[in-house]
PDB file of all heavy atoms in Angstrom:
ATOM      1  N   GLY B  28      69.730 -19.767  86.610  1.00  0.00           N
ATOM      2  CA  GLY B  28      70.807 -20.222  85.736  1.00  0.00           C
ATOM      3  C   GLY B  28      72.140 -19.813  86.340  1.00  0.00           C
ATOM      4  O   GLY B  28      72.237 -18.777  87.003  1.00  0.00           O
ATOM      5  N   LEU B  29      73.149 -20.618  86.130  1.00  0.00           N
ATOM      6  CA  LEU B  29      74.474 -20.281  86.669  1.00  0.00           C
ATOM      7  C   LEU B  29      75.553 -20.897  85.789  1.00  0.00           C
ATOM      8  O   LEU B  29      75.501 -22.081  85.462  1.00  0.00           O
ATOM      9  CB  LEU B  29      74.620 -20.801  88.100  1.00  0.00           C
ATOM     10  CG  LEU B  29      75.953 -20.532  88.806  1.00  0.00           C
ATOM     11  CD1 LEU B  29      76.258 -19.035  88.861  1.00  0.00           C
ATOM     12  CD2 LEU B  29      75.945 -21.108  90.219  1.00  0.00           C
ATOM     13  N   VAL B  30      76.525 -20.073  85.382  1.00  0.00           N
ATOM     14  CA  VAL B  30      77.648 -20.542  84.562  1.00  0.00           C
ATOM     15  C   VAL B  30      78.916 -19.853  85.075  1.00  0.00           C
ATOM     16  O   VAL B  30      78.956 -18.630  85.174  1.00  0.00           O
ATOM     17  CB  VAL B  30      77.467 -20.171  83.074  1.00  0.00           C
ATOM     18  CG1 VAL B  30      78.567 -20.818  82.232  1.00  0.00           C
ATOM     19  CG2 VAL B  30      76.100 -20.565  82.553  1.00  0.00           C
ATOM     20  N   ALA B  31      79.910 -20.658  85.422  1.00  0.00           N
ATOM     21  CA  ALA B  31      81.183 -20.104  85.906  1.00  0.00           C
ATOM     22  C   ALA B  31      82.237 -21.187  85.693  1.00  0.00           C
ATOM     23  O   ALA B  31      81.886 -22.334  85.424  1.00  0.00           O
ATOM     24  CB  ALA B  31      81.071 -19.722  87.377  1.00  0.00           C
ATOM     25  N   PRO B  32      83.524 -20.865  85.818  1.00  0.00           N
ATOM     26  CA  PRO B  32      84.531 -21.911  85.641  1.00  0.00           C
ATOM     27  C   PRO B  32      84.244 -23.095  86.567  1.00  0.00           C
ATOM     28  O   PRO B  32      84.113 -22.934  87.772  1.00  0.00           O
ATOM     29  CB  PRO B  32      85.835 -21.214  86.025  1.00  0.00           C
ATOM     30  CG  PRO B  32      85.570 -19.771  85.752  1.00  0.00           C
ATOM     31  CD  PRO B  32      84.115 -19.557  86.079  1.00  0.00           C
ATOM     32  N   GLY B  33      84.098 -24.273  86.005  1.00  0.00           N
ATOM     33  CA  GLY B  33      83.799 -25.460  86.802  1.00  0.00           C
ATOM     34  C   GLY B  33      82.323 -25.623  87.144  1.00  0.00           C
ATOM     35  O   GLY B  33      81.941 -26.569  87.840  1.00  0.00           O
ATOM     36  N   ILE B  34      81.495 -24.699  86.668  1.00  0.00           N
ATOM     37  CA  ILE B  34      80.057 -24.764  86.953  1.00  0.00           C
ATOM     38  C   ILE B  34      79.299 -24.573  85.641  1.00  0.00           C
ATOM     39  O   ILE B  34      79.071 -23.437  85.214  1.00  0.00           O
ATOM     40  CB  ILE B  34      79.615 -23.679  87.967  1.00  0.00           C
ATOM     41  CG1 ILE B  34      80.423 -23.785  89.262  1.00  0.00           C
ATOM     42  CG2 ILE B  34      78.123 -23.817  88.259  1.00  0.00           C
ATOM     43  CD1 ILE B  34      80.092 -22.698  90.281  1.00  0.00           C
ATOM     44  N   PRO B  35      78.906 -25.689  84.982  1.00  0.00           N
ATOM     45  CA  PRO B  35      78.257 -25.549  83.673  1.00  0.00           C
ATOM     46  C   PRO B  35      76.775 -25.194  83.738  1.00  0.00           C
ATOM     47  O   PRO B  35      76.214 -24.747  82.739  1.00  0.00           O
ATOM     48  CB  PRO B  35      78.438 -26.932  83.044  1.00  0.00           C
ATOM     49  CG  PRO B  35      78.544 -27.865  84.203  1.00  0.00           C
ATOM     50  CD  PRO B  35      79.191 -27.097  85.322  1.00  0.00           C
ATOM     51  N   ASP B  36      76.142 -25.399  84.912  1.00  0.00           N
ATOM     52  CA  ASP B  36      74.714 -25.093  85.001  1.00  0.00           C
ATOM     53  C   ASP B  36      74.290 -25.003  86.466  1.00  0.00           C
ATOM     54  O   ASP B  36      75.076 -25.302  87.381  1.00  0.00           O
ATOM     55  CB  ASP B  36      73.866 -26.143  84.273  1.00  0.00           C
ATOM     56  CG  ASP B  36      74.145 -27.567  84.744  1.00  0.00           C
ATOM     57  OD1 ASP B  36      74.481 -27.744  85.944  1.00  0.00           O
ATOM     58  OD2 ASP B  36      74.043 -28.497  83.930  1.00  0.00           O
ATOM     59  N   TRP B  37      73.027 -24.606  86.690  1.00  0.00           N
ATOM     60  CA  TRP B  37      72.528 -24.401  88.046  1.00  0.00           C
ATOM     61  C   TRP B  37      72.495 -25.710  88.828  1.00  0.00           C
ATOM     62  O   TRP B  37      72.778 -25.727  90.030  1.00  0.00           O
ATOM     63  CB  TRP B  37      71.135 -23.776  87.998  1.00  0.00           C
ATOM     64  CG  TRP B  37      70.454 -23.672  89.341  1.00  0.00           C
ATOM     65  CD1 TRP B  37      69.287 -24.262  89.715  1.00  0.00           C
ATOM     66  CD2 TRP B  37      70.921 -22.949  90.478  1.00  0.00           C
ATOM     67  NE1 TRP B  37      68.978 -23.934  91.011  1.00  0.00           N
ATOM     68  CE2 TRP B  37      69.961 -23.142  91.512  1.00  0.00           C
ATOM     69  CE3 TRP B  37      72.035 -22.149  90.758  1.00  0.00           C
ATOM     70  CZ2 TRP B  37      70.092 -22.558  92.788  1.00  0.00           C
ATOM     71  CZ3 TRP B  37      72.163 -21.572  92.025  1.00  0.00           C
ATOM     72  CH2 TRP B  37      71.196 -21.778  93.021  1.00  0.00           C
ATOM     73  N   GLN B  38      72.171 -26.800  88.163  1.00  0.00           N
ATOM     74  CA  GLN B  38      72.081 -28.061  88.887  1.00  0.00           C
ATOM     75  C   GLN B  38      73.419 -28.386  89.560  1.00  0.00           C
ATOM     76  O   GLN B  38      73.470 -28.735  90.734  1.00  0.00           O
ATOM     77  CB  GLN B  38      71.692 -29.176  87.914  1.00  0.00           C
ATOM     78  CG  GLN B  38      71.240 -30.430  88.618  1.00  0.00           C
ATOM     79  CD  GLN B  38      70.645 -31.430  87.631  1.00  0.00           C
ATOM     80  OE1 GLN B  38      70.754 -31.251  86.415  1.00  0.00           O
ATOM     81  NE2 GLN B  38      70.022 -32.459  88.145  1.00  0.00           N
ATOM     82  N   SER B  39      74.527 -28.268  88.784  1.00  0.00           N
ATOM     83  CA  SER B  39      75.843 -28.519  89.400  1.00  0.00           C
ATOM     84  C   SER B  39      76.194 -27.424  90.388  1.00  0.00           C
ATOM     85  O   SER B  39      76.747 -27.694  91.455  1.00  0.00           O
ATOM     86  CB  SER B  39      76.973 -28.617  88.376  1.00  0.00           C
ATOM     87  OG  SER B  39      76.519 -28.501  87.092  1.00  0.00           O
ATOM     88  N   GLY B  40      75.881 -26.168  90.023  1.00  0.00           N
ATOM     89  CA  GLY B  40      76.209 -25.055  90.901  1.00  0.00           C
ATOM     90  C   GLY B  40      75.512 -25.151  92.243  1.00  0.00           C
ATOM     91  O   GLY B  40      76.103 -24.900  93.299  1.00  0.00           O
ATOM     92  N   ALA B  41      74.237 -25.541  92.215  1.00  0.00           N
ATOM     93  CA  ALA B  41      73.479 -25.636  93.466  1.00  0.00           C
ATOM     94  C   ALA B  41      74.080 -26.718  94.367  1.00  0.00           C
ATOM     95  O   ALA B  41      74.171 -26.540  95.587  1.00  0.00           O
ATOM     96  CB  ALA B  41      72.017 -25.924  93.164  1.00  0.00           C
ATOM     97  N   ALA B  42      74.507 -27.835  93.777  1.00  0.00           N
ATOM     98  CA  ALA B  42      75.126 -28.903  94.567  1.00  0.00           C
ATOM     99  C   ALA B  42      76.423 -28.407  95.209  1.00  0.00           C
ATOM    100  O   ALA B  42      76.719 -28.715  96.365  1.00  0.00           O
ATOM    101  CB  ALA B  42      75.399 -30.112  93.674  1.00  0.00           C
ATOM    102  N   ILE B  43      77.183 -27.627  94.475  1.00  0.00           N
ATOM    103  CA  ILE B  43      78.424 -27.065  95.018  1.00  0.00           C
ATOM    104  C   ILE B  43      78.115 -26.083  96.137  1.00  0.00           C
ATOM    105  O   ILE B  43      78.738 -26.104  97.206  1.00  0.00           O
ATOM    106  CB  ILE B  43      79.238 -26.387  93.893  1.00  0.00           C
ATOM    107  CG1 ILE B  43      79.783 -27.444  92.927  1.00  0.00           C
ATOM    108  CG2 ILE B  43      80.362 -25.524  94.459  1.00  0.00           C
ATOM    109  CD1 ILE B  43      80.325 -26.881  91.616  1.00  0.00           C
TER     110      ILE B  43
END
Side-chain angles (χ1 to χ4, degrees):
Chain B
L29 180 58
V30 187
I34 304 177
D36 54 32
W37 173 241
Q38 195 171 10
S39 358
I43 291 167

